[in-house]
Amino acid sequence: MNTTTLTITGMRDEECLRLVTNAIQDLPGIGYLEISLATGAATIEHGAFVAESDIHQAIEDAGFGVR
């Protein structure tokens, strides 16, 4: 498993957190996922066939920013 750490921007409430979580979990091969609503910090464990750019795209498609 690979681990990607990033910051998600634009989350305001639990609904935003749910949308982002679902968008990431819809990708194949996602293992562990932890996102802090307070800081936007996200830690994602995923298979080698999921690129970090795929994760960024899923977050952006859900309507949020990513750094």
Side-chain angles (χ1 to χ4, degrees):
M1 286 286 211
N2 296 327
T3 301
T4 298
T5 303
L6 46 82
T7 302
I8 301 169
T9 59
M11 294 188 299
R12 297 174 310 281
D13 54 27
E14 291 293 327
E15 177 66 15
C16 294
L17 181 62
R18 186 185 63 77
L19 289 171
V20 171
T21 299
N22 287 343
I24 295 170
Q25 287 180 334
D26 282 347
L27 294 169
I30 298 298
Y32 175 77
L33 171 61
E34 180 179 354
I35 304 172
S36 168
L37 180 58
T39 65
T43 302
I44 305 148
E45 286 186 1
H46 54 90
F49 51 88
V50 176
E52 188 172 333
S53 61
D54 296 330
I55 298 170
H56 282 235
Q57 190 62 53
I59 294 167
E60 291 169 357
D61 289 350
F64 302 92
V66 61
R67 295 185 263 145

